Amino acid sequence: MLKYAVNLLKTFMFPIAVYLSFLVITLLMSKTGYVSFGAFDRIVRGSVLTTITAYAIALPLSGGRWDFAPGIIIMLAGIIGSNITIDLGLGPVMLLIITIAVAIVLSLFEGLLYVWIRVPTIIVSLGVVMMYEAISGVVYGGSGTQLFMHANLTIFARSPWIYILLAVVMVLFYYLLGHTKFGYDTRSLSANPRLAVNMGVKEKKNILLTYLVVGALLGISAVINASTVLVSPAGNLSSTALMFSSMAPVLMGLYLAQFTNLPLGIFAGALGMNSLSYGMVVMGINSSLQTVVIGVFIVVFMAYTTNQERIRSYLSRIKTGRKASA
C-alpha cells in the first residue's frame, strides 16, 4: 500500500510541482488569480477534455498508428449530435448517446479505410481529416453548433457531472487496457506485431475494436467541447489543432505511466500542462509566447525522459571523477 502511495505521488509530482511553482511566482507578482479555488477548478475541468481526447490518441499510438483525425471527429460529431438533439428536443443523456454513436461511425469508417487499403495511418487520417472538414462545412448549412446556449444540455461540462464522467471513463479505460483480451492483444501488437499475429492475435479485429473505442472516447469529448465553445466548420486542417493540444499529455503520460498506469499518467500530464497554460495566462503572457514556452517545455521534458539514463551515467562519472581528484 505504501509503495502504491509513493508511486501515485511520483505520477502526480509533475502537475503538483508546476502548480506550486506558478502559485509562488504569481503571489510574488501580487497576482491572486492563481490562488483561488475557482482557478484550481478551472484547471481541473479544463483537463477533462484534454485527458479524454488524449486517451483516444494514445490508444492507436501505442500500436504505432499516428492519427490526425481526432480533432475533426470531435468537431463533426459535436455538430451533428448537438443539432439532432436540439431539433428533436431531446435531453442531455440522449445528446451523449447520439454524439457517441456518430463519433463511433466516423471513427470506424477511418478504421475500415485503413484495414482495406493498408496505407499508413498518417496518410489515411490526413485524407479523412480533409473529407470530414469538407462535410463539416456542408451539414446544417455550415452553421456549426452553439450548444452552450442550451443550458439544459450542457450539464456534462459542469460540476459535478464532468468529474463523474471523467472518473467513469478513467476506470473503464484502465479496465479495458489491463483486464480484457483486447488490452492484452493491443499490448502484444505494440510490442511485437509479427510475433503477436503468429501467436493467434487477430490484427484486423483489434484495429477495428481500437477505432470503436476511440470513437466512443471522442464522442464524449465532442459533448464536452460543444458544451463550452462555439463549434464552427473546419478547413485547411485547422481541426488538427484540437488533436495537437492533447499530444503533450499523451507524451508525458507515456512516461509517467511507469509509476502507476496509463490513464493516471495521462491525467497527470493534462493537469500539469493546464496548470502551465493557466499560470501563463494569469501572469499576462501573450498567446504567441505561451506557445513558444509550451513547445520548449515539451522538448526539454522529452529530451530528459528519452536520455535520462545517459544523463545519470554522465552525472555519475562526474561525481566519481571529483571523488578521485579529492
Side-chain angles (χ1 to χ4, degrees), residues 23-42:
L23 182 63
V24 172
I25 293 171
T26 52
L27 287 177
L28 290 175
M29 295 175 65
S30 299
K31 296 180 180 292
T32 58
Y34 204 72
V35 71
S36 66
F37 175 78
F40 182 79
D41 181 61
R42 280 191 291 273

mmCIF file with all atom_site columns, all heavy atoms in Angstrom, residues 23-42:
data_model
loop_
_atom_site.group_PDB
_atom_site.id
_atom_site.type_symbol
_atom_site.label_atom_id
_atom_site.label_alt_id
_atom_site.label_comp_id
_atom_site.label_asym_id
_atom_site.label_entity_id
_atom_site.label_seq_id
_atom_site.pdbx_PDB_ins_code
_atom_site.Cartn_x
_atom_site.Cartn_y
_atom_site.Cartn_z
_atom_site.occupancy
_atom_site.B_iso_or_equiv
_atom_site.pdbx_formal_charge
_atom_site.auth_seq_id
_atom_site.auth_comp_id
_atom_site.auth_asym_id
_atom_site.auth_atom_id
_atom_site.pdbx_PDB_model_num
ATOM 1   N N   . LEU A 1 23 ? 2.121   29.107 -8.487  1.00 0.00 ? 23 LEU A N   1
ATOM 2   C CA  . LEU A 1 23 ? 1.455   29.712 -7.336  1.00 0.00 ? 23 LEU A CA  1
ATOM 3   C C   . LEU A 1 23 ? 2.404   30.688 -6.638  1.00 0.00 ? 23 LEU A C   1
ATOM 4   O O   . LEU A 1 23 ? 2.026   31.826 -6.322  1.00 0.00 ? 23 LEU A O   1
ATOM 5   C CB  . LEU A 1 23 ? 1.004   28.619 -6.364  1.00 0.00 ? 23 LEU A CB  1
ATOM 6   C CG  . LEU A 1 23 ? 0.242   29.090 -5.117  1.00 0.00 ? 23 LEU A CG  1
ATOM 7   C CD1 . LEU A 1 23 ? -1.063  29.766 -5.521  1.00 0.00 ? 23 LEU A CD1 1
ATOM 8   C CD2 . LEU A 1 23 ? -0.034  27.921 -4.187  1.00 0.00 ? 23 LEU A CD2 1
ATOM 9   N N   . VAL A 1 24 ? 3.641   30.258 -6.426  1.00 0.00 ? 24 VAL A N   1
ATOM 10  C CA  . VAL A 1 24 ? 4.640   31.114 -5.771  1.00 0.00 ? 24 VAL A CA  1
ATOM 11  C C   . VAL A 1 24 ? 4.974   32.317 -6.652  1.00 0.00 ? 24 VAL A C   1
ATOM 12  O O   . VAL A 1 24 ? 5.034   33.464 -6.182  1.00 0.00 ? 24 VAL A O   1
ATOM 13  C CB  . VAL A 1 24 ? 5.922   30.305 -5.460  1.00 0.00 ? 24 VAL A CB  1
ATOM 14  C CG1 . VAL A 1 24 ? 7.034   31.236 -4.970  1.00 0.00 ? 24 VAL A CG1 1
ATOM 15  C CG2 . VAL A 1 24 ? 5.638   29.227 -4.426  1.00 0.00 ? 24 VAL A CG2 1
ATOM 16  N N   . ILE A 1 25 ? 5.182   32.060 -7.955  1.00 0.00 ? 25 ILE A N   1
ATOM 17  C CA  . ILE A 1 25 ? 5.550   33.146 -8.875  1.00 0.00 ? 25 ILE A CA  1
ATOM 18  C C   . ILE A 1 25 ? 4.456   34.207 -8.947  1.00 0.00 ? 25 ILE A C   1
ATOM 19  O O   . ILE A 1 25 ? 4.723   35.422 -8.868  1.00 0.00 ? 25 ILE A O   1
ATOM 20  C CB  . ILE A 1 25 ? 5.833   32.585 -10.286 1.00 0.00 ? 25 ILE A CB  1
ATOM 21  C CG1 . ILE A 1 25 ? 7.100   31.724 -10.266 1.00 0.00 ? 25 ILE A CG1 1
ATOM 22  C CG2 . ILE A 1 25 ? 5.997   33.724 -11.295 1.00 0.00 ? 25 ILE A CG2 1
ATOM 23  C CD1 . ILE A 1 25 ? 7.333   30.954 -11.557 1.00 0.00 ? 25 ILE A CD1 1
ATOM 24  N N   . THR A 1 26 ? 3.200   33.775 -9.089  1.00 0.00 ? 26 THR A N   1
ATOM 25  C CA  . THR A 1 26 ? 2.100   34.736 -9.209  1.00 0.00 ? 26 THR A CA  1
ATOM 26  C C   . THR A 1 26 ? 1.877   35.500 -7.912  1.00 0.00 ? 26 THR A C   1
ATOM 27  O O   . THR A 1 26 ? 1.542   36.694 -7.937  1.00 0.00 ? 26 THR A O   1
ATOM 28  C CB  . THR A 1 26 ? 0.796   34.015 -9.612  1.00 0.00 ? 26 THR A CB  1
ATOM 29  O OG1 . THR A 1 26 ? 0.545   32.914 -8.720  1.00 0.00 ? 26 THR A OG1 1
ATOM 30  C CG2 . THR A 1 26 ? 0.881   33.494 -11.036 1.00 0.00 ? 26 THR A CG2 1
ATOM 31  N N   . LEU A 1 27 ? 2.081   34.852 -6.776  1.00 0.00 ? 27 LEU A N   1
ATOM 32  C CA  . LEU A 1 27 ? 1.939   35.555 -5.497  1.00 0.00 ? 27 LEU A CA  1
ATOM 33  C C   . LEU A 1 27 ? 3.046   36.594 -5.326  1.00 0.00 ? 27 LEU A C   1
ATOM 34  O O   . LEU A 1 27 ? 2.797   37.695 -4.808  1.00 0.00 ? 27 LEU A O   1
ATOM 35  C CB  . LEU A 1 27 ? 1.971   34.559 -4.331  1.00 0.00 ? 27 LEU A CB  1
ATOM 36  C CG  . LEU A 1 27 ? 0.719   33.682 -4.166  1.00 0.00 ? 27 LEU A CG  1
ATOM 37  C CD1 . LEU A 1 27 ? 0.906   32.690 -3.028  1.00 0.00 ? 27 LEU A CD1 1
ATOM 38  C CD2 . LEU A 1 27 ? -0.518  34.554 -3.910  1.00 0.00 ? 27 LEU A CD2 1
ATOM 39  N N   . LEU A 1 28 ? 4.247   36.263 -5.755  1.00 0.00 ? 28 LEU A N   1
ATOM 40  C CA  . LEU A 1 28 ? 5.352   37.234 -5.698  1.00 0.00 ? 28 LEU A CA  1
ATOM 41  C C   . LEU A 1 28 ? 5.091   38.419 -6.620  1.00 0.00 ? 28 LEU A C   1
ATOM 42  O O   . LEU A 1 28 ? 5.573   39.527 -6.369  1.00 0.00 ? 28 LEU A O   1
ATOM 43  C CB  . LEU A 1 28 ? 6.669   36.550 -6.078  1.00 0.00 ? 28 LEU A CB  1
ATOM 44  C CG  . LEU A 1 28 ? 7.225   35.535 -5.072  1.00 0.00 ? 28 LEU A CG  1
ATOM 45  C CD1 . LEU A 1 28 ? 8.478   34.851 -5.626  1.00 0.00 ? 28 LEU A CD1 1
ATOM 46  C CD2 . LEU A 1 28 ? 7.547   36.224 -3.739  1.00 0.00 ? 28 LEU A CD2 1
ATOM 47  N N   . MET A 1 29 ? 4.327   38.161 -7.694  1.00 0.00 ? 29 MET A N   1
ATOM 48  C CA  . MET A 1 29 ? 3.958   39.240 -8.618  1.00 0.00 ? 29 MET A CA  1
ATOM 49  C C   . MET A 1 29 ? 2.682   39.958 -8.176  1.00 0.00 ? 29 MET A C   1
ATOM 50  O O   . MET A 1 29 ? 2.164   40.813 -8.905  1.00 0.00 ? 29 MET A O   1
ATOM 51  C CB  . MET A 1 29 ? 3.763   38.653 -10.023 1.00 0.00 ? 29 MET A CB  1
ATOM 52  C CG  . MET A 1 29 ? 5.024   38.073 -10.643 1.00 0.00 ? 29 MET A CG  1
ATOM 53  S SD  . MET A 1 29 ? 4.691   37.253 -12.246 1.00 0.00 ? 29 MET A SD  1
ATOM 54  C CE  . MET A 1 29 ? 4.158   38.667 -13.233 1.00 0.00 ? 29 MET A CE  1
ATOM 55  N N   . SER A 1 30 ? 2.173   39.594 -6.986  1.00 0.00 ? 30 SER A N   1
ATOM 56  C CA  . SER A 1 30 ? 0.946   40.190 -6.422  1.00 0.00 ? 30 SER A CA  1
ATOM 57  C C   . SER A 1 30 ? -0.273  39.933 -7.296  1.00 0.00 ? 30 SER A C   1
ATOM 58  O O   . SER A 1 30 ? -1.198  40.743 -7.374  1.00 0.00 ? 30 SER A O   1
ATOM 59  C CB  . SER A 1 30 ? 1.132   41.702 -6.222  1.00 0.00 ? 30 SER A CB  1
ATOM 60  O OG  . SER A 1 30 ? 2.191   41.948 -5.328  1.00 0.00 ? 30 SER A OG  1
ATOM 61  N N   . LYS A 1 31 ? -0.278  38.770 -7.962  1.00 0.00 ? 31 LYS A N   1
ATOM 62  C CA  . LYS A 1 31 ? -1.424  38.357 -8.770  1.00 0.00 ? 31 LYS A CA  1
ATOM 63  C C   . LYS A 1 31 ? -2.118  37.206 -8.047  1.00 0.00 ? 31 LYS A C   1
ATOM 64  O O   . LYS A 1 31 ? -1.516  36.177 -7.790  1.00 0.00 ? 31 LYS A O   1
ATOM 65  C CB  . LYS A 1 31 ? -0.981  37.919 -10.165 1.00 0.00 ? 31 LYS A CB  1
ATOM 66  C CG  . LYS A 1 31 ? -0.352  39.045 -10.992 1.00 0.00 ? 31 LYS A CG  1
ATOM 67  C CD  . LYS A 1 31 ? 0.069   38.543 -12.354 1.00 0.00 ? 31 LYS A CD  1
ATOM 68  C CE  . LYS A 1 31 ? 0.704   39.641 -13.195 1.00 0.00 ? 31 LYS A CE  1
ATOM 69  N NZ  . LYS A 1 31 ? -0.266  40.680 -13.590 1.00 0.00 ? 31 LYS A NZ  1
ATOM 70  N N   . THR A 1 32 ? -3.391  37.398 -7.711  1.00 0.00 ? 32 THR A N   1
ATOM 71  C CA  . THR A 1 32 ? -4.114  36.414 -6.897  1.00 0.00 ? 32 THR A CA  1
ATOM 72  C C   . THR A 1 32 ? -5.010  35.491 -7.728  1.00 0.00 ? 32 THR A C   1
ATOM 73  O O   . THR A 1 32 ? -5.742  34.685 -7.177  1.00 0.00 ? 32 THR A O   1
ATOM 74  C CB  . THR A 1 32 ? -4.977  37.132 -5.850  1.00 0.00 ? 32 THR A CB  1
ATOM 75  O OG1 . THR A 1 32 ? -5.898  38.015 -6.521  1.00 0.00 ? 32 THR A OG1 1
ATOM 76  C CG2 . THR A 1 32 ? -4.106  37.950 -4.899  1.00 0.00 ? 32 THR A CG2 1
ATOM 77  N N   . GLY A 1 33 ? -4.968  35.619 -9.052  1.00 0.00 ? 33 GLY A N   1
ATOM 78  C CA  . GLY A 1 33 ? -5.859  34.829 -9.897  1.00 0.00 ? 33 GLY A CA  1
ATOM 79  C C   . GLY A 1 33 ? -5.569  33.347 -9.883  1.00 0.00 ? 33 GLY A C   1
ATOM 80  O O   . GLY A 1 33 ? -6.393  32.546 -10.329 1.00 0.00 ? 33 GLY A O   1
ATOM 81  N N   . TYR A 1 34 ? -4.391  32.959 -9.374  1.00 0.00 ? 34 TYR A N   1
ATOM 82  C CA  . TYR A 1 34 ? -3.996  31.549 -9.409  1.00 0.00 ? 34 TYR A CA  1
ATOM 83  C C   . TYR A 1 34 ? -4.263  30.838 -8.086  1.00 0.00 ? 34 TYR A C   1
ATOM 84  O O   . TYR A 1 34 ? -4.185  29.622 -8.012  1.00 0.00 ? 34 TYR A O   1
ATOM 85  C CB  . TYR A 1 34 ? -2.504  31.462 -9.740  1.00 0.00 ? 34 TYR A CB  1
ATOM 86  C CG  . TYR A 1 34 ? -2.063  30.157 -10.368 1.00 0.00 ? 34 TYR A CG  1
ATOM 87  C CD1 . TYR A 1 34 ? -2.387  29.831 -11.677 1.00 0.00 ? 34 TYR A CD1 1
ATOM 88  C CD2 . TYR A 1 34 ? -1.296  29.246 -9.645  1.00 0.00 ? 34 TYR A CD2 1
ATOM 89  C CE1 . TYR A 1 34 ? -1.977  28.647 -12.256 1.00 0.00 ? 34 TYR A CE1 1
ATOM 90  C CE2 . TYR A 1 34 ? -0.879  28.052 -10.216 1.00 0.00 ? 34 TYR A CE2 1
ATOM 91  C CZ  . TYR A 1 34 ? -1.219  27.760 -11.522 1.00 0.00 ? 34 TYR A CZ  1
ATOM 92  O OH  . TYR A 1 34 ? -0.808  26.572 -12.082 1.00 0.00 ? 34 TYR A OH  1
ATOM 93  N N   . VAL A 1 35 ? -4.555  31.599 -7.036  1.00 0.00 ? 35 VAL A N   1
ATOM 94  C CA  . VAL A 1 35 ? -4.630  31.015 -5.700  1.00 0.00 ? 35 VAL A CA  1
ATOM 95  C C   . VAL A 1 35 ? -6.048  30.619 -5.301  1.00 0.00 ? 35 VAL A C   1
ATOM 96  O O   . VAL A 1 35 ? -6.249  29.881 -4.343  1.00 0.00 ? 35 VAL A O   1
ATOM 97  C CB  . VAL A 1 35 ? -4.050  32.014 -4.655  1.00 0.00 ? 35 VAL A CB  1
ATOM 98  C CG1 . VAL A 1 35 ? -5.002  33.193 -4.465  1.00 0.00 ? 35 VAL A CG1 1
ATOM 99  C CG2 . VAL A 1 35 ? -3.746  31.328 -3.334  1.00 0.00 ? 35 VAL A CG2 1
ATOM 100 N N   . SER A 1 36 ? -7.054  31.063 -6.041  1.00 0.00 ? 36 SER A N   1
ATOM 101 C CA  . SER A 1 36 ? -8.440  30.810 -5.670  1.00 0.00 ? 36 SER A CA  1
ATOM 102 C C   . SER A 1 36 ? -8.868  29.381 -6.001  1.00 0.00 ? 36 SER A C   1
ATOM 103 O O   . SER A 1 36 ? -8.264  28.717 -6.846  1.00 0.00 ? 36 SER A O   1
ATOM 104 C CB  . SER A 1 36 ? -9.367  31.800 -6.380  1.00 0.00 ? 36 SER A CB  1
ATOM 105 O OG  . SER A 1 36 ? -9.337  31.580 -7.771  1.00 0.00 ? 36 SER A OG  1
ATOM 106 N N   . PHE A 1 37 ? -9.925  28.935 -5.327  1.00 0.00 ? 37 PHE A N   1
ATOM 107 C CA  . PHE A 1 37 ? -10.481 27.621 -5.629  1.00 0.00 ? 37 PHE A CA  1
ATOM 108 C C   . PHE A 1 37 ? -11.038 27.590 -7.048  1.00 0.00 ? 37 PHE A C   1
ATOM 109 O O   . PHE A 1 37 ? -10.976 26.571 -7.727  1.00 0.00 ? 37 PHE A O   1
ATOM 110 C CB  . PHE A 1 37 ? -11.596 27.267 -4.633  1.00 0.00 ? 37 PHE A CB  1
ATOM 111 C CG  . PHE A 1 37 ? -12.286 25.972 -4.954  1.00 0.00 ? 37 PHE A CG  1
ATOM 112 C CD1 . PHE A 1 37 ? -11.694 24.754 -4.651  1.00 0.00 ? 37 PHE A CD1 1
ATOM 113 C CD2 . PHE A 1 37 ? -13.527 25.973 -5.600  1.00 0.00 ? 37 PHE A CD2 1
ATOM 114 C CE1 . PHE A 1 37 ? -12.329 23.549 -4.969  1.00 0.00 ? 37 PHE A CE1 1
ATOM 115 C CE2 . PHE A 1 37 ? -14.164 24.772 -5.909  1.00 0.00 ? 37 PHE A CE2 1
ATOM 116 C CZ  . PHE A 1 37 ? -13.561 23.569 -5.589  1.00 0.00 ? 37 PHE A CZ  1
ATOM 117 N N   . GLY A 1 38 ? -11.559 28.734 -7.506  1.00 0.00 ? 38 GLY A N   1
ATOM 118 C CA  . GLY A 1 38 ? -12.094 28.811 -8.855  1.00 0.00 ? 38 GLY A CA  1
ATOM 119 C C   . GLY A 1 38 ? -11.036 28.532 -9.901  1.00 0.00 ? 38 GLY A C   1
ATOM 120 O O   . GLY A 1 38 ? -11.293 27.873 -10.904 1.00 0.00 ? 38 GLY A O   1
ATOM 121 N N   . ALA A 1 39 ? -9.818  29.035 -9.663  1.00 0.00 ? 39 ALA A N   1
ATOM 122 C CA  . ALA A 1 39 ? -8.717  28.791 -10.593 1.00 0.00 ? 39 ALA A CA  1
ATOM 123 C C   . ALA A 1 39 ? -8.365  27.307 -10.623 1.00 0.00 ? 39 ALA A C   1
ATOM 124 O O   . ALA A 1 39 ? -8.160  26.721 -11.690 1.00 0.00 ? 39 ALA A O   1
ATOM 125 C CB  . ALA A 1 39 ? -7.495  29.604 -10.188 1.00 0.00 ? 39 ALA A CB  1
ATOM 126 N N   . PHE A 1 40 ? -8.308  26.700 -9.443  1.00 0.00 ? 40 PHE A N   1
ATOM 127 C CA  . PHE A 1 40 ? -7.998  25.266 -9.361  1.00 0.00 ? 40 PHE A CA  1
ATOM 128 C C   . PHE A 1 40 ? -9.078  24.449 -10.064 1.00 0.00 ? 40 PHE A C   1
ATOM 129 O O   . PHE A 1 40 ? -8.774  23.509 -10.801 1.00 0.00 ? 40 PHE A O   1
ATOM 130 C CB  . PHE A 1 40 ? -7.889  24.853 -7.893  1.00 0.00 ? 40 PHE A CB  1
ATOM 131 C CG  . PHE A 1 40 ? -7.519  23.407 -7.706  1.00 0.00 ? 40 PHE A CG  1
ATOM 132 C CD1 . PHE A 1 40 ? -6.214  22.990 -7.850  1.00 0.00 ? 40 PHE A CD1 1
ATOM 133 C CD2 . PHE A 1 40 ? -8.491  22.464 -7.381  1.00 0.00 ? 40 PHE A CD2 1
ATOM 134 C CE1 . PHE A 1 40 ? -5.859  21.648 -7.679  1.00 0.00 ? 40 PHE A CE1 1
ATOM 135 C CE2 . PHE A 1 40 ? -8.160  21.130 -7.219  1.00 0.00 ? 40 PHE A CE2 1
ATOM 136 C CZ  . PHE A 1 40 ? -6.832  20.726 -7.362  1.00 0.00 ? 40 PHE A CZ  1
ATOM 137 N N   . ASP A 1 41 ? -10.342 24.852 -9.879  1.00 0.00 ? 41 ASP A N   1
ATOM 138 C CA  . ASP A 1 41 ? -11.448 24.142 -10.516 1.00 0.00 ? 41 ASP A CA  1
ATOM 139 C C   . ASP A 1 41 ? -11.385 24.278 -12.032 1.00 0.00 ? 41 ASP A C   1
ATOM 140 O O   . ASP A 1 41 ? -11.629 23.312 -12.761 1.00 0.00 ? 41 ASP A O   1
ATOM 141 C CB  . ASP A 1 41 ? -12.782 24.697 -9.995  1.00 0.00 ? 41 ASP A CB  1
ATOM 142 C CG  . ASP A 1 41 ? -13.990 23.981 -10.598 1.00 0.00 ? 41 ASP A CG  1
ATOM 143 O OD1 . ASP A 1 41 ? -14.113 22.764 -10.397 1.00 0.00 ? 41 ASP A OD1 1
ATOM 144 O OD2 . ASP A 1 41 ? -14.783 24.640 -11.285 1.00 0.00 ? 41 ASP A OD2 1
ATOM 145 N N   . ARG A 1 42 ? -11.021 25.456 -12.528 1.00 0.00 ? 42 ARG A N   1
ATOM 146 C CA  . ARG A 1 42 ? -10.909 25.660 -13.974 1.00 0.00 ? 42 ARG A CA  1
ATOM 147 C C   . ARG A 1 42 ? -9.779  24.809 -14.564 1.00 0.00 ? 42 ARG A C   1
ATOM 148 O O   . ARG A 1 42 ? -9.901  24.288 -15.675 1.00 0.00 ? 42 ARG A O   1
ATOM 149 C CB  . ARG A 1 42 ? -10.680 27.146 -14.286 1.00 0.00 ? 42 ARG A CB  1
ATOM 150 C CG  . ARG A 1 42 ? -11.944 27.991 -14.252 1.00 0.00 ? 42 ARG A CG  1
ATOM 151 C CD  . ARG A 1 42 ? -11.711 29.363 -14.827 1.00 0.00 ? 42 ARG A CD  1
ATOM 152 N NE  . ARG A 1 42 ? -10.854 30.172 -13.970 1.00 0.00 ? 42 ARG A NE  1
ATOM 153 C CZ  . ARG A 1 42 ? -11.291 30.912 -12.962 1.00 0.00 ? 42 ARG A CZ  1
ATOM 154 N NH1 . ARG A 1 42 ? -12.586 30.945 -12.683 1.00 0.00 ? 42 ARG A NH1 1
ATOM 155 N NH2 . ARG A 1 42 ? -10.466 31.619 -12.238 1.00 0.00 ? 42 ARG A NH2 1
#
